[in-house]
Amino acid sequence: MGRLAARGLGCRVLYSPHAFPFLRDVAAPLRRVYEGAERVAARWTDLLVAVSQAEARLAVELGLLPEERVSVLENAVDLPALESEVGPMPPIRSPEGQRVFGLVGALRAQKAPLLLLDAARRARAGGVRARYVLPSTGPDLARVKRAVREYGLHGIVDFAPAENGLAELYRRIDVGVLPSLWEGLPYTLLEITGLGRPLIASDLPVFQDFLRPLDARLLFQRGDAEALARCIALWAGLPSEVLEDVGRRGRSQVARDHALPEWANALQALYRPGDRP
């Protein structure tokens, strides 16, 4: 969203961080620089628009802005358009087959694709029969392909074309995986959940808020490949009915709380408070 206007022009200054930069996995000195920049920016901000409750809590807890100057407008998804683009989702595979786990994010450090491959290697060593699909896009694509070779995973890891979105990847997977190291509120979380698929994710606050009410077993400790491997093993072996139930409830949650029309109305109210119903 960014800043709407400078002070002195009769407009409020709104700022939406979409994950604060100091959350990144960087050296402590650089992290302090990022946080300092956010504190300076906060002085010129009339209203911080957080994309999740977790982001709003963090802004207040760190003292960036007081609670009355923080508003939450969670990201939304056009679910009918997404379903039209992706098409019918196939039935979830049985635990007797090889369930397919898919990374629902570009191949970049933030999404931790190498952690997923490490977990896949560990799960296979533990006897878990599963396959994996990753999108063929992102700055770490070459590193990821090299890791697939080094781990000997070429027989169970595939890459889906993703230049124009993740529709093909979504169609191919039974369970989404998002082992992110930091996040605001990723759209892919809303998309794969809105399509009725369970999502395994790191235990970042935003994922805890969203996934714990569906099933706490969807969460694993951030950055822990062994914990992710155990999570994969669990969801590879659970009855299909469990996955289908989580998928139905997740889809209902997205349709109820993250619908695009309601988001658009809330966004308009931020820009034009006098138009509130």
Side-chain angles (χ1 to χ4, degrees):
M1 187 182 303
R3 299 186 179 279
L4 297 183
R7 287 186 180 274
L9 298 182
C11 298
R12 294 189 304 168
V13 178
L14 272 64
Y15 172 48
S16 187
H18 289 259
F20 291 109
F22 55 76
L23 296 175
R24 298 176 182 176
D25 190 17
V26 296
L30 184 56
R31 189 176 301 114
R32 288 193 291 269
V33 170
Y34 284 149
E35 184 173 346
E38 290 295 328
R39 293 187 182 280
V40 171
R43 299 174 187 171
W44 299 93
T45 299
D46 294 303
L47 185 68
L48 185 143
V49 183
V51 298
S52 69
Q53 294 288 345
E55 191 170 73
R57 290 195 303 268
L58 181 61
V60 174
E61 289 167 2
L62 290 178
L64 296 179
L65 287 165
E67 188 173 355
E68 62 271 16
R69 288 170 57 195
V70 177
S71 182
V72 178
L73 181 59
E74 294 195 327
N75 288 336
V77 62
D78 187 343
L79 196 51
L82 175 66
E83 291 176 323
S84 176
E85 177 187 1
V86 174
M89 294 287 284
I92 290 175
R93 294 169 180 83
S94 72
E96 292 73 31
Q98 283 189 303
R99 282 199 174 132
V100 179
F101 294 77
L103 182 72
V104 292
L107 303 181
R108 62 178 71 252
Q110 178 189 6
K111 309 298 182 181
L114 297 178
L115 184 78
L116 174 57
L117 295 181
D118 189 5
R121 175 180 62 86
R122 293 166 184 259
R124 184 183 61 177
V128 177
R129 298 182 69 249
R131 296 185 60 83
Y132 304 87
V133 179
L134 285 72
S136 59
T137 185
D140 289 347
L141 178 59
R143 291 183 62 198
V144 168
K145 288 188 173 182
R146 186 163 58 249
V148 169
R149 294 192 299 271
E150 291 174 354
Y151 289 159
L153 297 175
H154 53 274
I156 61 172
V157 173
D158 297 318
F159 291 86
E163 291 76 13
N164 299 312
L166 298 179
E168 181 171 336
L169 184 144
Y170 290 157
R171 286 191 294 267
R172 294 171 60 177
I173 65 177
D174 300 301
V175 181
V177 185
L178 201 50
S180 302
L181 302 179
W182 71 91
E183 286 289 1
L185 176 58
Y187 287 101
T188 55
L189 161 67
L190 304 179
E191 290 177 347
I192 192 61
T193 307
L195 290 169
R197 290 299 196 249
L199 175 74
I200 292 172
S202 51
D203 60 351
L204 299 176
V206 62
F207 292 144
Q208 292 196 44
D209 289 350
F210 191 97
L211 296 173
R212 191 173 293 279
L214 297 176
D215 194 316
R217 296 174 296 178
L218 294 166
L219 298 161
F220 70 93
Q221 185 175 354
R222 171 188 177 273
D224 188 333
E226 183 59 36
L228 176 52
R230 292 194 299 268
C231 201
I232 290 171
L234 172 68
W235 288 92
L238 285 172
S240 299
E241 293 78 11
V242 175
L243 279 69
E244 291 163 356
D245 176 65
V246 171
R248 282 192 297 269
R249 291 187 289 112
R251 187 193 183 287
S252 296
Q253 181 171 313
V254 171
R256 181 186 67 243
D257 299 336
H258 300 275
L260 192 60
E262 287 76 6
W263 178 89
N265 291 336
L267 180 63
Q268 178 175 305
L270 285 174
Y271 281 80
R272 301 170 63 182
D275 291 348
R276 294 180 186 271

